[in-house]
Amino acid sequence: MTDPVARSYQVKGEVAAFRGELVPARAATGLWPYVELLPAPGSPAPEGVAPRHAADGSVVGYPLPPDRLDAWYAVHWTFRWRGELFECTHATDSTVAGNYLGDDASFAKEHLKRRVRGYRGEFPRGEVTELTEHREDLLGPLTALVRRLVEANHFRPETYAVHRGRAYPAAAQADASGRIALTGVDLDMSDLPADPQDPTGRRHLAAPEQLDAWCRTHWTFSWQGGPFDAVGTAEGRIKGVYTGASWGFVDGFQLTQETAPDGAHTCYTVEVDLDGVTDLEQHRTDLLAADG
């Protein structure tokens, strides 16, 4: 019988499956999108996984990228006692305890202990029925989010040029001679001259007529009804610069004040979950057309 007592992890929390073993886990703070395994004290370290240490040298956990995990999910248990539903908070071989999820006030006052919020009870095993494990998948949404960020280049503004059918990062403006700088290690084999201003040798110069395309892209989105220009992501959250004109919006939502890239002005930014934004849209400017 499936039972929380037989598990090596808590009756409520996050669990990862790694090499066939179930281990308590959590999102690795500051190491997104890594997931951190949390073996119990005294348990052997996962083989081949480097530990993460705290400032005092103690092991914080064992971070892994999501693609190395078989599963990662949030788990909790429920059960019924006298037909009423409870969320399990503790289980032993002889008893099961939990918080009452029902709404029968008379039942709760008669049989259960009052908590700051709600009621709880502890019952003999033989009186408990429908002890059930519930899982919420965390790995699937995380993997999908990572894929979205990669496919959208983390929603950063970018400029690229297409030369002989291949796209390269490119300068947003032509130089004094009217040529555009392209970056790519394979450009050494092309007929484009190297940029004398680039000590790495990876940057080459192309005339506009040598390019199939030259574009600048950026993303915009709305959050809480306000307009933003996306500037990238941080810890899996999208970051945007507010482009509206309402000080009430800035103050009301406590946007973060930052110095703008030009160093002379102030901008206001926010970092929010992708699921919390609307109207996420990519905009493309044809620089060849503008140049012509």
Side-chain angles (χ1 to χ4, degrees):
M1 173 183 173
T2 302
D3 195 304
V5 171
R7 304 294 189 182
S8 60
Y9 51 83
Q10 62 272 42
V11 296
K12 183 175 183 180
E14 296 176 15
V15 181
F18 178 61
R19 295 175 179 168
E21 297 290 330
L22 296 178
V23 185
R26 66 186 175 197
T29 303
L31 291 177
W32 191 92
Y34 278 56
V35 178
E36 204 155 53
L37 305 183
L38 306 170
S43 298
E47 184 178 352
V49 183
R52 185 162 71 104
H53 295 93
D56 62 4
S58 61
V59 174
V60 174
Y62 299 86
L64 283 169
D67 59 6
R68 293 189 63 187
L69 297 175
D70 302 317
W72 177 39
Y73 53 87
V75 61
H76 73 278
W77 293 74
T78 59
F79 63 88
R80 290 187 182 273
W81 182 73
R82 297 190 178 181
E84 295 290 335
L85 187 63
F86 291 79
E87 182 177 46
C88 183
T89 57
H90 183 68
T92 69
D93 290 330
S94 58
T95 63
V96 178
N99 296 326
Y100 182 48
L101 299 179
D103 56 7
D104 188 332
S106 298
F107 171 88
K109 291 176 181 178
E110 181 179 355
H111 300 288
L112 307 175
K113 293 181 180 179
R114 179 73 179 178
R115 301 170 61 239
V116 175
R117 290 185 179 180
Y119 295 84
R120 71 179 303 275
E122 184 169 354
F123 316 105
R125 275 285 181 139
E127 297 180 9
V128 167
T129 62
E130 299 181 36
L131 187 59
T132 306
E133 183 185 43
H134 305 269
R135 297 182 179 185
E136 176 190 355
D137 179 32
L138 301 176
L139 186 60
L142 175 63
T143 302
L145 175 58
V146 171
R147 187 178 299 116
R148 286 176 68 189
L149 295 182
V150 171
E151 290 174 350
N153 195 25
H154 295 262
F155 300 103
R156 287 188 294 265
E158 64 173 342
T159 303
Y160 69 90
V162 179
H163 175 63
R164 293 183 175 177
R166 185 163 183 177
Y168 298 93
Q173 293 181 325
D175 66 8
S177 69
R179 295 178 297 179
I180 298 104
L182 279 59
T183 302
V185 293
D186 63 327
L187 288 172
D188 287 335
M189 307 300 293
S190 72
D191 57 353
L192 301 180
D195 184 350
Q197 304 300 317
D198 176 33
T200 70
R202 297 182 58 199
R203 200 163 66 212
H204 290 67
L205 300 174
E209 58 269 20
Q210 293 177 287
L211 301 176
D212 304 315
W214 180 31
C215 298
R216 180 171 60 243
T217 63
H218 74 283
W219 294 78
T220 60
F221 64 87
S222 296
W223 177 73
Q224 300 294 341
F228 291 83
D229 279 342
V231 294
T233 58
E235 293 285 308
R237 310 180 87 203
I238 191 167
K239 181 175 181 178
V241 175
Y242 179 59
T243 56
S246 170
W247 171 250
F249 184 92
V250 170
D251 186 56
F253 288 105
Q254 293 293 291
L255 302 190
T256 301
Q257 181 176 319
E258 297 185 21
T259 300
D262 63 11
H265 297 85
T266 295
C267 63
Y268 296 93
T269 66
V270 69
E271 294 177 13
V272 293
D273 293 333
L274 277 173
D275 291 343
V277 308
T278 59
D279 306 319
L280 183 59
E281 182 179 359
Q282 186 185 59
H283 305 267
R284 189 184 306 270
T285 302
D286 185 345
L287 297 177
L288 282 180
D291 183 69

